[in-house]
Amino acid sequence: MTQAKDLLARMTLAEKAALCSGRDFWHLKGIERLGIPSIMLTDGPHGLRKQTVGGERIDLHASVPATCFPTAAALAATWNRDLVYRVGEALAEECLAEKVAVLLGPGANIKRSPLCGRNFEYFSEDPYLTGEMAKAHIRGVQSKGIGTALKHYAANNQESRRMSIDAIIDERALREIYLTGFEIAVRGAQPAAVMCAYNRVNGSYCSEHRRLLTEILRDEWGYAGVVVSDWGAVNQRVTGLAAGLDLEMPGSRGQTDALLVKAIEAGELDEMDLDRAVERLLTLTLRLTGALTEDASYDRDAHHALARQVAGEAAVLLKNEGGILPLAAVGPIALIGAFARTPRYQGAGSSQIRPTRLENLCDELAKLVGREQTVVYADGYRLRGDTVDQAVLAEACRVAAPAAVAIVCLGLPDSCEVEGVDRAHMRLPRSHDALVAAVAGVNPNVVVVLSNGSPVEMPWEDRVKGILEAYLGGQAGGGAIADILTGRVNPSGKLAETFPLHAEDNPSYASFPGGPKTVEYRESVYVGYRYYDSAQRAVRFPFGHGLSYTTFQYGHLALSAAHMEDGDLLTVDARVKNAGPVAGAETVQLYVRDVEASVFRPDKELKGFLKISLEPGEERGIRFELEQRAFAFYDANAGGWRVEPGEFEVLIGASSRDIRLSGAVKVTSTWQVVVDPLQRRDLQPYHAPATSFPIARPAFEALYGRTLPSNDLAKGDEHTLNTPIGDMTDTIAGRLLYRLIQRKIGKMTQGRHDEPMSIMLKRIAEELPLRGMMMSSGRLTHGMLDGVLMMINGRAWRGMRKLLMELWHT
């Protein structure tokens, strides 16, 4: 027997059930009599957020200092697997020093819409790039013996009503877009844990979705680790355990443990399901505990230097008209914008890090410019609010007018990108747009530096000469920007997401964020560039775009074969040359196009990428290897990946719209597509995305394969424990509960109403399901909530009696 099996055999039924929920918010339970230790899980993924207060509650402001690396949106823009691996190693070293066993991350959810409030914490709109980045991150962390928790599985692509919304997704889109990134990471890195999402997928909560948790994750992908719930994501604990949910977080003070015991004793739950979960938890605990036995420390300076390197490689040079960057060695520089002194460097929410130090562009740029130059600063706008301050604007123009170049620092304030809250639009604050217009009116040489976690509109693009997208660059982002502006670093970032002209251009716009009950993914597989390129829609900047201070030439494409058969491997070779004057790095992207598809498919799909560094004049060969999966689509009818016979193009480029080389391969497959003419007629909008968006209900229903569920809150229906508290105000008791919660939130946030945490708490108070109150209060029981629910549903006396009985017994 293994040690885990031996321990399992010695445990009582009550002990086994107890092990399947947390001790508190951050710790797993241990069993002292068996020598089973308690281990700690804590927030990530771009830094360690370990609370300094007790584990009985969440306090997003009380955490130990840790290196704040760039967020996932920036990490993905590096397109550098090795660099992301190194970030993972550094994160693990900090976990070791703080005795943290599992880092909660990375996030592998797809950027379905640029308006998702948590996009800063996710990698990309593309599943292949997402999976490769997540895999590198996990491998880096786990190389040091620390565990990761890949999240949020699955289809958590919005923050609005995230704890109750039902994501209605057709099978092809689910498999090709929303699960593929998780699949790549799971198969390639075997994370210690996979965290299930809050939401429902096609009718079932992720915490009890047997198809997702067992049939796909374990049986198909071969996952052997622990499945943990997001905090408060459990609906029915017994159903969840049977479906494959091993660990409930946080703990329920023994209430759900008792439900498991009761279900087994009543024959409603197989004890083997519990044993499997406990064995996985024991295996995890024993493996991770070994790495935490010795005292450890880390080099803060080295980690800060790594953070600066990563931020420099993540920044994307979007525009560089006339070679305005890097800055010339002479002439005064106007540095304008409050973000230059008070940087926006991370997102708001559970991943908020307390940095070990914090650089700002104003100080770092002053250190790097030559003696012949001066840097003159002006605020340009107020950090809080959206009002255009004419006096502040006038001062910015006074500073900008005589300068050789004006660097204008813009972006999204932290209140615009908050976990739990989606954005309403893609616009910058009015004061930021007004600043660009004013400065461009007095100085023709304007460079905009953006600090934001997701795409923004740029109505001023044609009035500026340079645009540097710095994303949320972490604690060393200010120094990294200074490095790029002065030419000490040659920018090499590439967009991991499309920047549309307007939010309305996005294919999900008409159905995002949906609600009140469902959100329909009517665009199917046409997410991001898959839609824009197929529909030939104009965009601000395409997927994969990013400029350099040098130029690269592509050539000599060679495919290993003109024909492929089942099981073959196609080798793709090409050469890239640095034809410019300075050293630089280029990300070569490989896309595949199905030329003869009889089923609808995007214009092209990313299937490979490689980042290479070249000295001036240096030329190097690159190689990709493509398996059959690179040419496949998911056949929902057959229940598997299929390659349709016919011609495919292999495209090599610098972005999805900058294709430099192309070749063709004929694929011979033993599988033949048979398309029903009636079905093709019903799905015609998906074959012609250029003219068919937004997709009408009948076409999506035909693709979905069954009647779409109702999205209406029917009057007269009784509320349930899953009803958001904000939806209960149609009853007297519901209104009273809602007002009490709002009053409590108001007292907690008094004087700080526009701060991110206040915004997050207010939205949570509205959208939290009634069952979620157990997580926020250590005194509530299931019975108490049942009593409250009775009162809300009009059975006041019965509910009051239930509530009083529960209070008496507790």
Side-chain angles (χ1 to χ4, degrees):
M1 278 190 178
T2 64
Q3 187 178 2
K5 286 185 179 294
D6 180 59
L7 288 170
L8 177 65
R10 297 162 58 195
M11 294 172 69
T12 66
L13 177 58
E15 287 173 332
K16 290 190 289 187
L19 208 66
C20 292
S21 64
R23 187 185 80 192
D24 53 30
F25 265 92
W26 305 116
H27 298 86
L28 273 60
K29 296 191 185 85
I31 301 177
E32 187 174 353
R33 77 172 186 88
L34 296 176
I36 300 171
S38 168
I39 62 173
M40 185 176 190
L41 302 75
T42 199
D43 285 325
H46 64 274
L48 177 66
R49 199 190 72 77
K50 178 186 176 183
Q51 283 190 190
T52 54
V53 296
E56 295 302 321
R57 61 187 177 90
I58 293 178
D59 189 333
L60 298 180
H61 295 287
S63 57
V64 300
T67 307
C68 182
F69 288 96
T71 66
L75 288 178
T78 69
W79 293 65
N80 189 330
R81 297 175 179 89
D82 293 337
L83 193 58
V84 174
Y85 181 95
R86 289 175 57 199
V87 170
E89 288 183 309
L91 292 171
E93 289 174 3
E94 300 194 19
C95 287
L96 288 167
E98 294 292 343
K99 303 296 184 184
V100 170
V102 179
L103 189 70
L104 301 177
N109 294 107
I110 293 296
K111 299 181 181 185
R112 176 185 178 230
S113 166
L115 301 180
C116 175
R118 210 169 178 179
N119 273 355
F120 63 84
E121 206 172 326
Y122 300 142
F123 291 115
S124 177
E125 67 188 28
D126 180 80
Y128 178 75
L129 179 56
T130 291
E132 289 295 304
M133 293 293 100
K135 180 171 67 177
H137 187 286
I138 293 165
R139 284 179 170 177
V141 173
Q142 297 193 166
S143 70
K144 302 283 188 178
I146 297 300
T148 58
L150 180 66
K151 62 183 186 181
H152 307 89
Y153 182 71
N156 179 187
N157 310 111
Q158 65 187 62
E159 294 299 282
S160 297
R161 293 178 175 261
R162 62 177 178 171
M163 296 190 76
S164 60
I165 201 75
D166 189 1
I168 307 302
I169 314 175
D170 72 274
E171 188 69 9
R172 271 195 64 190
L174 182 64
R175 298 303 296 254
E176 293 182 23
I177 305 297
Y178 299 102
L179 295 187
T180 292
F182 286 99
E183 179 184 1
I184 291 170
V186 166
R187 288 185 185 273
Q190 280 289 325
V194 171
M195 182 192 294
C196 78
Y198 287 116
N199 52 281
R200 291 175 288 166
V201 174
N202 294 332
S204 297
Y205 279 97
C206 290
S207 63
E208 53 195 47
H209 205 304
R210 180 173 178 79
R211 184 161 180 271
L212 285 176
L213 301 186
T214 296
E215 294 172 13
I216 294 176
L217 180 62
R218 296 198 186 281
D219 298 344
E220 185 179 329
W221 298 348
Y223 180 61
V226 167
V227 175
V228 57
S229 74
D230 203 340
W231 270 232
V234 173
N235 178 41
Q236 297 289 342
R237 184 64 185 105
V238 174
T239 304
L241 185 82
L245 178 68
D246 302 312
L247 176 63
E248 177 186 14
M249 289 299 292
S252 63
R253 300 167 305 282
Q255 294 185 73
T256 54
D257 306 341
L259 292 177
L260 295 178
V261 172
K262 183 179 178 181
I264 290 172
E265 291 176 341
E268 299 167 355
L269 177 66
D270 192 332
E271 190 170 354
M272 288 298 295
D273 290 331
L274 178 61
D275 287 349
R276 279 189 289 266
V278 172
E279 185 176 346
R280 287 191 283 258
L281 285 163
L282 289 170
T283 300
L284 174 77
T285 298
L286 295 170
R287 176 166 65 86
L288 298 181
T289 301
L292 301 173
T293 54
E294 302 293 332
D295 289 336
S297 62
Y298 66 95
D299 187 334
R300 287 191 174 188
D301 292 337
H303 284 197
H304 182 79
L306 176 61
R308 185 159 174 163
Q309 178 187 349
V310 175
E313 198 162 323
V316 183
L317 185 59
L318 298 176
K319 182 177 182 179
N320 195 24
E321 182 182 318
I324 192 169
L325 292 178
L327 296 172
V330 295
I333 299 168
L335 182 60
I336 303 170
F339 281 176
R341 274 191 173 165
T342 307
R344 171 90 201 287
Y345 62 98
Q346 65 175 330
S350 60
S351 65
Q352 193 164 313
I353 308 303
R354 179 184 170 195
T356 57
R357 70 179 79 165
L358 183 59
E359 294 177 349
N360 69 74
L361 176 58
C362 197
D363 292 341
E364 297 303 315
L365 186 60
K367 294 176 185 176
L368 296 182
V369 298
R371 293 181 179 179
E372 299 83 1
Q373 292 175 289
T374 57
V375 178
V376 184
Y377 170 80
D379 283 337
Y381 51 81
R382 301 298 185 193
L383 282 172
R384 295 289 178 190
D386 195 21
T387 302
V388 178
D389 189 317
Q390 294 299 330
V392 173
L393 210 56
E395 173 64 12
C397 291
R398 186 191 66 78
V399 168
V405 62
I407 308 296
V408 182
C409 298
L410 311 176
L412 293 173
D414 53 10
S415 59
C416 291
E417 292 183 294
V418 182
E419 178 184 343
V421 185
D422 290 321
R423 296 161 67 199
H425 53 74
M426 269 177 49
R427 297 187 296 275
L428 290 170
R430 288 180 301 157
S431 58
H432 290 227
D433 285 337
L435 176 62
V436 182
V439 171
V442 300
N443 190 319
N445 298 315
V446 178
V447 174
V448 169
V449 176
L450 289 166
S451 297
N452 45 286
S454 47
V456 295
E457 293 181 6
M458 304 179 196
W460 35 258
E461 180 199 345
D462 59 351
R463 301 193 63 187
V464 304
K465 289 187 176 180
I467 305 174
L468 180 67
E469 173 57 78
Y471 279 109
L472 301 181
Q475 67 181 53
I481 296 169
D483 290 337
I484 291 172
L485 293 178
T486 57
R488 284 164 175 75
V489 167
N490 188 350
S492 62
K494 299 269 191 175
L495 292 180
E497 58 195 325
T498 306
F499 273 47
L501 293 170
H502 308 285
E504 294 83 352
D505 298 335
N506 187 268
S508 71
Y509 184 78
S511 56
F512 180 93
K517 293 169 66 176
T518 69
V519 53
E520 297 172 357
Y521 286 46
R522 293 196 183 189
E523 69 281 357
S524 185
V525 300
Y526 292 106
V527 176
Y529 74 90
R530 282 171 166 79
Y531 166 68
Y532 297 115
D533 291 0
S534 299
Q536 298 182 346
R537 291 290 299 268
V539 299
R540 185 75 64 185
F541 297 105
F543 176 82
H545 171 73
L547 304 177
S548 171
Y549 293 156
T550 189
T551 57
F552 299 95
Q553 295 176 350
Y554 292 54
H556 306 287
L557 178 68
L559 276 60
S560 61
H563 293 83
M564 279 186 75
E565 296 186 357
D566 289 343
D568 285 352
L569 186 72
L570 182 71
T571 301
V572 180
D573 289 291
R575 297 191 69 80
V576 178
K577 180 180 180 180
N578 182 348
V582 296
E586 173 72 336
T587 297
V588 183
Q589 302 158 43
L590 185 151
Y591 298 86
V592 168
R593 172 184 292 140
D594 189 342
V595 178
E596 302 180 31
S598 59
V599 296
F600 66 87
R601 300 197 70 174
D603 173 72
K604 65 177 74 74
E605 297 177 282
L606 182 73
K607 297 299 178 181
F609 63 89
L610 183 64
K611 191 165 192 175
I612 55 172
S613 296
L614 298 171
E615 294 297 318
E618 183 182 2
E619 183 176 350
R620 188 182 305 172
I622 57 171
R623 170 167 289 185
F624 299 97
E625 291 184 340
L626 299 180
E627 299 178 339
Q628 272 200 318
R629 176 70 178 267
F631 303 91
F633 70 96
Y634 191 83
D635 178 22
N637 294 323
W641 294 92
R642 299 288 184 263
V643 178
E644 182 178 9
E647 182 180 343
F648 288 81
E649 283 186 315
V650 176
L651 312 171
I652 301 290
S655 81
S656 74
R657 294 199 175 181
D658 185 6
I659 301 301
R660 309 286 183 88
L661 306 169
S662 65
V665 61
K666 201 84 173 181
V667 175
T668 302
S669 175
T670 56
W671 183 75
Q672 182 66 45
V673 176
V674 178
V675 179
D676 185 329
L678 291 177
Q679 184 186 44
R680 184 179 180 96
R681 184 192 65 191
D682 292 340
L683 299 182
Q684 186 57 38
Y686 291 98
H687 289 269
T691 58
S692 304
F693 277 69
I695 296 291
R697 180 187 177 99
F700 180 60
E701 195 164 70
L703 178 63
Y704 188 57
R706 52 193 185 274
T707 302
L708 297 176
S710 170
N711 192 28
D712 297 326
L713 293 176
K715 291 185 178 180
D717 284 359
E718 287 204 344
H719 297 298
T720 72
L721 292 175
N722 288 319
T723 304
I725 294 169
D727 291 348
M728 294 180 168
T729 55
D730 59 337
T731 71
I732 295 174
R735 284 194 295 273
L736 178 60
L737 176 63
Y738 179 75
R739 289 170 183 168
L740 287 172
I741 292 174
Q742 289 295 326
R743 190 175 301 161
K744 182 177 180 181
I745 296 295
K747 289 181 180 179
M748 292 170 58
T749 61
Q750 191 170 9
R752 298 179 286 113
H753 299 297
D754 60 344
E755 291 187 4
M757 289 303 105
S758 300
I759 296 169
M760 179 179 172
L761 287 172
K762 290 174 184 176
R763 181 59 61 88
I764 288 175
E766 293 178 1
E767 299 185 351
L768 185 73
L770 186 60
R771 62 176 168 82
M773 290 186 65
M774 285 189 61
M775 184 175 68
S776 60
S777 174
R779 292 171 291 182
L780 284 175
T781 67
H782 285 292
M784 291 177 188
L785 284 185
D786 287 338
V788 171
L789 186 61
M790 291 176 191
M791 296 167 66
I792 289 172
N793 284 323
R795 296 186 289 277
W797 290 112
R798 185 178 174 187
M800 182 64 73
R801 184 172 60 183
K802 175 74 171 177
L803 188 58
L804 291 173
M805 288 179 63
E806 285 290 322
L807 287 169
W808 176 263
H809 288 299
T810 56

